[in-house]
Amino acid sequence: MDLAAFNPKDRDEVETLFKKVFTDSAGQSEGLLTSKLAHDLVEHTASEDLYGFVAMQAGRIVGGIFFSRLTFDSKINAFILSPVAVQTDCQNQGIGQKLICFGINHLKNDGVERIFTYGDPNFYRKVGFEAISTDIAKPPLALTYPIGWLCQSLTGNEIESIVGESHCVAALNHPEYW
Ligand SMILES: CC(C)(COP(=O)(O)OP(=O)(O)OC[C@H]1O[C@@H](n2cnc3c(N)ncnc32)[C@H](O)[C@@H]1OP(=O)(O)O)[C@@H](O)C(=O)NCCC(=O)NCCS
């Protein structure tokens, strides 16, 4: 398996991957919603505010992930991981964790201090995330499942509270994702 930065020429293949995987795992409407998110992130996000990575096997994209900038009133360099998917027939082989760690390492080398995500704590704790309260860092929109608000520090320091409001990129700025 090879891990690489997302190349815009692979946009259609990556959107199809998100559509298929989320349709398989959570139903058609989640599939459509998540492929729209991937599309909008690539189409409408400034390059300095977006990272994408893929996992390839035998010339096929088997995993995809995006990180987009999360801006706080205080000057902290933060991104949010969303979405991530591994082809349904390739899950539970370690690809998801390797892809996430590859991406996080890349962001860390670029000086990113905090990574957030919103998802299942049981999965994301395997790749270094911990659940935080919304008092520690305010999410940009109201959360349907506050238990899924997760963070990791990339500086080696403890997660300290961040003062003020947060703002996500336009592609993620819709209540249905939260
Ligand atoms: C979540 C996902 C990216 C993980 O990738 P993967 O390659 O299947 O995961 P890995 O093989 O690296 O890790 C497997 C481990 O994660 C666990 N895991 C996978 N999905 C999980 C989930 N949704 N909740 C809790 N644990 C999960 C597995 O049980 C397994 O645990 P074990 O090692 O203790 O047995 C992938 O399963 C996927 O695309 N799922 C559907 C879409 C999705 O839910 N995306 C995440 C939300 S944005």
Side-chain angles (χ1 to χ4, degrees):
M1 194 243 318
D2 292 320
L3 299 164
F6 168 77
N7 185 325
K9 80 173 169 43
D10 295 327
R11 188 174 70 182
D12 289 350
E13 192 175 350
V14 168
E15 281 178 36
T16 303
L17 174 137
F18 280 111
K19 185 171 175 185
K20 164 92 172 67
V21 172
F22 277 84
T23 298
D24 291 345
S25 70
Q28 197 177 21
S29 62
E30 281 298 313
L32 287 171
L33 200 61
T34 312
S35 65
K36 177 175 163 30
L37 173 58
H39 174 90
D40 289 348
L41 281 169
V42 172
E43 193 71 16
H44 302 301
T45 310
S47 58
E48 65 270 24
D49 294 339
L50 185 69
Y51 290 90
F53 303 95
V54 293
M56 312 270 304
Q57 234 166 22
R60 173 192 182 213
I61 294 178
V62 294
I65 189 167
F66 288 103
F67 299 84
S68 57
R69 191 177 295 282
L70 200 57
T71 311
F72 286 85
D73 291 346
S74 54
K75 290 219 176 318
I76 187 154
N77 189 351
F79 277 74
I80 181 162
L81 181 178
S82 180
V84 57
V86 169
Q87 294 281 12
T88 309
D89 60 347
C90 298
Q91 290 176 5
N92 290 311
Q93 298 170 20
I95 296 173
Q97 289 175 67
K98 287 192 187 111
L99 178 62
I100 293 168
C101 292
F102 179 79
I104 288 176
N105 220 26
H106 196 111
L107 272 64
K108 183 177 175 180
N109 289 337
D110 274 3
V112 175
E113 297 163 283
R114 297 275 180 90
I115 308 256
F116 292 82
T117 195
Y118 180 46
D120 187 328
N122 291 324
F123 173 66
Y124 285 106
R125 83 163 53 98
K126 293 177 194 292
V127 286
F129 285 90
E130 57 184 278
I132 58 162
S133 111
T134 53
D135 294 335
I136 298 280
K138 203 165 172 213
L141 281 84
L143 303 179
T144 312
Y145 303 105
I147 199 172
W149 185 229
L150 312 173
C151 183
Q152 71 173 285
S153 166
L154 303 186
T155 60
N157 299 331
E158 295 275 299
I159 297 171
E160 288 165 3
S161 38
I162 305 176
V163 178
E165 304 291 318
S166 68
H167 306 276
C168 59
V169 299
L172 258 179
N173 197 22
H174 301 280
E176 57 267 35
Y177 297 126
W178 301 89

